[in-house]
Amino acid sequence: MQLQEIDRVKNITKEDFRKYYLKPQKPVIIEHFVDDWPAVQKWDLDYMAKIAGNITVPLYDDRPVRHDEGFNQAHATMKMREYVALLKKEPTRYRIFLWNILKEVPELQKDYTYPDFGISLMKGLPMLFFGGEDSYTFMHHDIDLANIFHFHFQGKKEVILFDQSQNDYLYKIPHSLIVREDIDFNNPDYEKWPALKKAKGFRGNLEHGEVLYMPEGYWHYMRYITPGFSMSLRAIARNPKNLGRAIYNIAIMRHYDNLMRRLQGQGWIDKKNEKAIVKTHKKLGIG
């Protein structure tokens, strides 16, 4: 993989963000942009255990997709207090994924505001993500191909990004939002996955109080170097092509995939995984 460092700036004006990152659809890490948020001073794992300790949270690990599991179906559940204790005690693969704090802990809304990036943010979907040391997300892109603003709290997180122009090199799974789950993007095996050598993307590390802008439809792999959590705010895709794909993904693709899982079982998953290799290597002339 050919990865360049994500641009890093110390704060930025709305005008410069729109000119240098939003319009050209280029990722950036912004420092100090939300230093005035109470969350920057208050939010850590202990605070989350205190304010949401009795809430049962959905947990996900890095097991491969199975035909008998629904879209974004949790692998386990745990009280938030117990989960935080686990994160602090030892490395764990369990992550919290797409946890809507508006619904679960309304009090947390007092700790942040919706920043003005020069683009309208969807205010009903602030999502939290938690992970333990060395846990990671599979390389994927979001179903709605949204513009994403990813605010990190406590610890450090590694991010690897690709835009949609790199699809031919990533071993994308048909009728899904992921690539081959057995690819280790932290240490890729180029003999097994030779197309990855052609992939051009971005990498960077996020620390407490920093925000990552991910443009529309960007593929992202995230690995927690230390236990921590993040909150994502999103803005609807502005590019008509991306907006059309988002509507297709939500209205058709995911329902078709679920139907085929029911009809063909694990064979449907296995067939898609094989097609990801065959189509990628055929397109690039790799024997």
Side-chain angles (χ1 to χ4, degrees):
M1 300 184 297
Q2 304 168 49
L3 303 178
Q4 66 182 82
E5 287 294 314
I6 299 170
D7 282 1
R8 179 177 286 273
V9 299
K10 297 183 183 296
N11 217 318
I12 193 170
T13 65
K14 175 175 66 175
E15 292 73 23
D16 281 349
F17 172 75
R18 288 179 58 86
K19 178 179 180 180
Y20 295 111
Y21 299 103
L22 181 61
K23 289 184 177 179
Q25 290 286 279
K26 183 179 180 182
V28 63
I29 295 172
I30 310 171
E31 305 172 7
H32 306 300
F33 195 80
V34 292
D35 281 357
D36 60 336
W37 279 10
V40 173
Q41 303 302 321
K42 296 165 61 176
W43 284 16
D44 59 19
L45 290 171
D46 289 335
Y47 183 71
M48 289 296 166
K50 177 181 178 182
I51 199 169
N54 289 326
I55 294 178
T56 299
V57 294
L59 301 176
Y60 303 81
D61 58 27
D62 53 8
R63 72 187 68 178
V65 170
R66 290 177 48 86
H67 76 281
D68 54 355
E69 293 179 342
F71 190 81
N72 286 343
Q73 180 178 328
H75 299 139
T77 59
M78 193 178 291
K79 295 288 188 182
M80 174 61 88
R81 185 181 296 108
E82 298 168 349
Y83 177 61
V84 169
L86 176 62
L87 292 181
K88 296 174 68 176
K89 178 184 178 183
E90 61 191 22
T92 175
R93 295 299 192 192
Y94 280 133
R95 296 175 291 105
I96 297 178
F97 177 72
L98 290 175
W99 192 55
N100 190 327
I101 63 172
L102 275 177
K103 295 180 179 179
E104 301 291 349
V105 192
E107 185 178 344
L108 290 174
Q109 298 173 55
K110 302 174 183 177
D111 295 339
Y112 67 91
T113 56
Y114 291 88
D116 185 2
F117 288 105
I119 184 172
S120 180
L121 299 173
M122 292 186 278
K123 296 186 177 181
L125 294 171
M127 297 293 185
L128 284 181
F129 305 79
F130 290 70
E133 179 183 340
D134 208 36
S135 65
Y136 61 89
T137 64
F138 295 121
M139 183 67 74
H140 68 286
H141 69 78
D142 285 15
I143 194 169
D144 58 355
L145 284 84
N147 293 276
I148 300 171
F149 299 88
H150 197 71
F151 304 82
H152 190 62
F153 299 95
Q154 186 156 355
K156 183 181 291 187
K157 176 188 281 189
E158 177 190 25
V159 181
I160 297 176
L161 306 175
F162 297 99
D163 65 36
Q164 289 286 317
S165 71
Q166 302 302 299
N167 286 5
D168 288 347
Y169 314 122
L170 299 179
Y171 296 92
K172 179 183 180 298
I173 304 295
H175 310 294
S176 75
L177 309 172
I178 62 174
V179 305
R180 288 279 309 212
E181 298 156 298
D182 43 354
I183 296 175
D184 180 1
F185 280 89
N186 187 49
N187 184 28
D189 182 345
Y190 292 120
E191 290 189 7
K192 188 174 182 179
W193 314 110
L196 287 180
K197 290 186 289 186
K198 297 179 177 291
K200 297 179 180 179
F202 302 86
R203 71 161 305 280
N205 287 338
L206 285 174
E207 299 197 25
H208 181 82
E210 297 178 346
V211 53
L212 165 69
Y213 167 61
M214 289 186 287
E216 298 177 14
Y218 261 53
W219 295 94
H220 44 285
Y221 161 92
M222 296 188 175
R223 181 175 67 90
Y224 291 86
I225 298 173
T226 62
F229 62 101
S230 306
M231 180 177 74
S232 281
L233 301 177
R234 59 207 307 113
I236 194 169
R238 295 150 57 94
N239 182 301
K241 181 179 179 181
N242 289 337
L243 184 58
R245 289 179 59 198
I247 294 171
Y248 169 79
N249 288 342
I250 295 169
I252 299 175
M253 184 274 289
R254 66 173 175 175
H255 299 295
Y256 174 73
D257 186 56
N258 283 334
L259 173 63
M260 296 305 292
R261 291 187 194 195
R262 291 196 297 270
L263 293 177
Q264 297 188 10
Q266 189 61 33
W268 171 247
I269 302 295
D270 296 341
K271 182 166 61 176
K272 291 199 303 174
N273 281 327
E274 182 61 25
K275 279 187 176 180
I277 299 176
V278 172
K279 290 179 67 175
T280 298
H281 288 177
K282 182 178 179 180
K283 192 157 191 176
L284 299 179
I286 298 174

